[in-house]
Every structure is written in C-alpha cells, then in structure tokens.
Amino acid sequence: MCGIVGYLGGRVAQDVLVNGLKRLEYRGYDSAGIATLDDDGKAGLTRAVGKIIALEQKLQSAQQDGHLGIGHTRWATHGGVTERNAHPHHVGNIYLVHNGIIENYRELKAELSKQYKFKSDTDSEVLAALIDSYYNNDRSLKDAVAQALKRVRGTYGIVVFSPLAPKELIVARLGSPLIIGVGKDETMVASDASALLGYTEKAIYLNDGELARCTPQSVDLFNLNLQQLNPQVETIEGDVAEIQKGGYDHFLLKEIMEQATTLRNALSGRIDAKEGSMRLGGLNLSPDELRSLEHLVIVGCGTAYYAGLLASYYLEQLVPDLTIEVVIASEYRYRSFHLPKHSVAVVISQSGETADTLACLREIKKHGVKTLGIVNAVGSTIAREVDGGSYIYAGPEISVASTKAFTAQVATLVIFGGMLAEAHGANKALIAEFAEELDALPAQIDQTLQKHQKDIKKLAEKYAQYQHAMYLGRDTAYPISLEGALKLKEVSYLHAEAYPAGELKHGPIALIDDRFFEVFNLLDNRLFEKSLGALHELRARGGKVIVLTNSQKEVDADDVVRIETPLRHLAPLLLNVLQQLFAYYVAVAKGNDVDQPRNLAKSVTVE
C-alpha cells in the first residue's frame, strides 16, 4: 500500500527520491519523508504529513545533497497520521523505511524499551531499533538486518542504511514487494517498477525471504541465513509515457478513455475472428488437462472479483459441463474449502501483489491444485507463484480506482473459456460468436465513450447532490452493477449498493426515497421483460432512475442512455464504461481527489 524508493549512485539522491515518490502517489498515502546521507557521512531526515508537495516545501529549507537515500509514502496502520509516525524512522545508527506489518512488535518493543526511547507509535520504529540492537563493530549491517528479521513475525519490505556503512543499502522482503533497479554505477530500489522507469531497464525482483546488499556497482543476494543466491536480472516492462496523464485532467479519465487501445493489447495474437478461435499462451495446461477439467474456482478481491463473476456467466455458457465457483479471496483463504479432483484455480489481480489474493493462492496450492494467474503487473509475486497464466497487458494503472484492468481481465477470462470450450468439444458456433465479439469490442468501447461522454457528464452533475445510489441489473448486468456501485463509492464517496434486479422486492425496495437515485443496467435479452417489471416497481415508488441500455424499446425512466451496438454477449462491458465515466464525473462535480480517493490504496499489500 505504501511506497518505497531507495537510491545510491552519482545523482543527487533527494531529487531521485522525490521523483520516485511522486510516481508512487497512486498507491495511497497520508504522509511522506526522505532520509539521505551526504559525502561526509552526515544524515538528513525530512518528513511531512499530507501530500508530497508538503514534503517538497520543507525540503526547500533543508536541501540534502547526498548521493544515497531512502524515501517513503505512508498509509497509516499503526499509529495516527502524524509526522513522528511518518517514515523514514531513525533509531541509533539505523535509518529504515518499511512496508508491511510486524505482528509481534509489542513484545519486541517491551524488550527493547530498556535500551531505546521510542518516539512513534509504529511497528516500523521497533524494527529499526531491533536492527540497531544487533548492529555493532563485530557485525556488518547486512548481518544485523538478517538477525533482526529472523525474530519478527509478519510482513515486510524494508530498505535500510547507516552512516557507519556509507556506501550500501540493505534491502529485504517478506510478503511486501520490492524491486532493485540495476543501472550504470547506480542502484535504485522501489516497491513498484513505475518509480524506476527512465532510470534503468534492468531489475531484480526480490522474492520472499531474500535480502540484498546494494552498492552503486553491485547487488549481492542472500537468504536470511546469509547463504549467497544468484540474482536474476529481468527487463522492466513499460515506459515513462505510460505513467503520465497525456493531456487528461486525471489518470482515471485517461485510463477510462484508453480502454480501446489497452484492450487491443490484451487481445493481440489471442483472437482469430475469421477462424472463430481463441488462444492464451503461458497456461502450462496440457490438452488432456483442459479436457479433464471439471471444476474451476475463480479468486479475486474487489474489482478483480467482479471481473471473475462477470466472466463466470460467459464461461457457463461456453462450457456447460464445467462447475464454476467465484470466491472472494479474503474470505476463501480462511474457509475449510474442498477442491475436488480435476480442479483449477484462476487467481485475478491487477497488481499481482494483493495480500489476501496471494495468501489464498498459497492456501489453494497446499491442496495440490493447479493455479493460473490473470495479472497486469509483469514480474509481480502472484505472476511468479502461479503454475501458469496470462498477463492482461493493460499497461500501468495509476488511478486508485481500477477501470481498464476490469475490461481486460474479463476479456482474458473469456479467451480462456473459449479454449476450455474447444477442449471440451462444446458449441463451436458459440465460441466463434465470442471470438467475433471480442475482436469488435475495442472499437465498440471507443465508439461508446466518444458518443456518450458529454451525456454522462451532464447526468453526473445532475445527480451529484444525492446521498445514496442503488445499482440494479439481471444476468450479466448484475456483476457490472456491483462494479458500478463500487466505482461510485470509491471516487465520489456516495453510499452505493448493488443488487440483482430480481431481489429488489425482497428488501432493498424499502430504501427508495428522495435521497436515492437508481442506476438500472437494462440488457435487451431474454430477461428484458422481467427487468422492466423491477423498473416499474421503482417508478411506482418515486424512484429517480437512470437507465443504461442497449435496447431501443420504450423505457420509463428519468434519464435513459442508449447505446447502439451489434454486441450481444459483451454489451455489459459497454454499459460498464459508461458507469466508469459517471463515477468519474460525479467525483469531479463534488471536488474530490479523483486519482487518490481518501482511505484507499492501489495495491493492498496488508490484510
């Protein structure tokens, strides 16, 4: 959730650190700080509550010219949002930044209180003190960090420096991502590859239980027993242009509007509309394993869960003899679940670092079940720990609220469904229909956004003053109603709920009053007339209804947005991009921080 940057080399560390932290702002944070070491061995520490601009203002009167340093954006867990709780932490000869949670920090703090006077309420300061307690003339900084980490329970991604070891950074991870960028006579560390773009194209992705000693010229990799390991240097995907706004007011609007382009990337080489076929590479499942698959469990959190839920409707159509279960990772990981023979788990995560999803993946693997990843972030932990899988190639998603990843996740899962259907000998004509619709989808998304952007903006301004919203839909319109309500909650802070339209009369209809408006996703399909029944129930009770539909039939509502599309199966994805625009413009109308909504973080790396 928090952001980490570290640097040592020939550049002014302060500039590199602040620039890197700005690139990590999307992760969510409430304070920021940097610590640097100058060439005379003097350390400087500057921290500030609020946005990075507050830190920059403080740095104007505390310029730090050293060539080694660490930086951090904090999202409060232990202790409130105060400067003393901000990172980096300084204890004795140790400067430390830390992502994660030290579960046994209370007992360690009680032990260390005899030696140290703690200034913050954080578990991270306790870890800094623990490292310092092991650091003396007989032990290197690397040794001290390793010994300390053997005593902690919990998760961590840390970067440490000391004035007593002025030419090295010590880096370690367990459950919280860290990447080491390898440049010419310089080394960087970051919790996300976006902070490294433009500095180096080469990186070492740290695995759990690994520790690295970094100098400007080298990276030595160890386990916690200090047995040396061979680091694997990989190429960083992406470029600086992808993490810039490109003329848009917000990253969220940019990412909504670029979905046609990113979806084409996700589909490239995977769809043959003429042949009516679909293919994913990297699954590591043999044709026999695909044919014998009987049970599929789809795992995700938040938007990824809703993507899996929508895709499950399509997979049920494509592979009728397949049992599909869609589960929330944060719950499933603690259940006494049973996975029968011939099962496969599909794990969905934009960041590839989602803590609950990663823990659920590991629990499933204990059952001996094969796992596949549907992931956006190349080189992420989930991508490395699954048995196979595919990237969605949506590019960096900077805004906290996920948009383009949802569309690409659904599309990638549908391609997987097409492969399964073909292996199971299912309806070839239906497979071809989905292949054709996927091929047409990017252009349809672009057309929908361009045609209706102004209409949606006017609607958002009209309804922004309401306090509550209810999203409704049936069949494949239900999962996108869930996703639409989530988007509105995330960025506008309006209370929003979503229900299957058939459930309206089983309780939710009691909520309808003049503080509510309703968004009804109305699909022109076999349930159209039944959906109209629910719509009439709303109208009879004074409901203020926005209908999003692909039907040209008459509809009774306050506002109707009609899309014209030949898509039959995938039309819900077009309605969903309208929902994304609606949430965005409501947030803008309310004056909210659209890309960094309060209390949220992009990559949820703690439970």
Side-chain angles (χ1 to χ4, degrees), residues 241 243-251 253-254 257-258 584:
I243 58 172
Q244 295 174 340
K245 290 180 183 176
Y248 289 95
D249 290 338
H250 299 94
F251 280 110
L253 182 58
K254 173 180 181 281
M257 299 303 292
E258 71 183 7
Y584 168 74

Side-chain angles (χ1 to χ4, degrees), residues 92-113:
N93 290 306
I94 298 298
Y95 289 81
L96 169 144
V97 290
H98 166 230
N99 286 349
I101 292 177
I102 306 303
E103 296 172 1
N104 60 332
Y105 84 99
R106 288 186 179 87
E107 57 195 76
L108 292 171
K109 188 172 185 177
E111 173 190 326
L112 293 165
S113 292

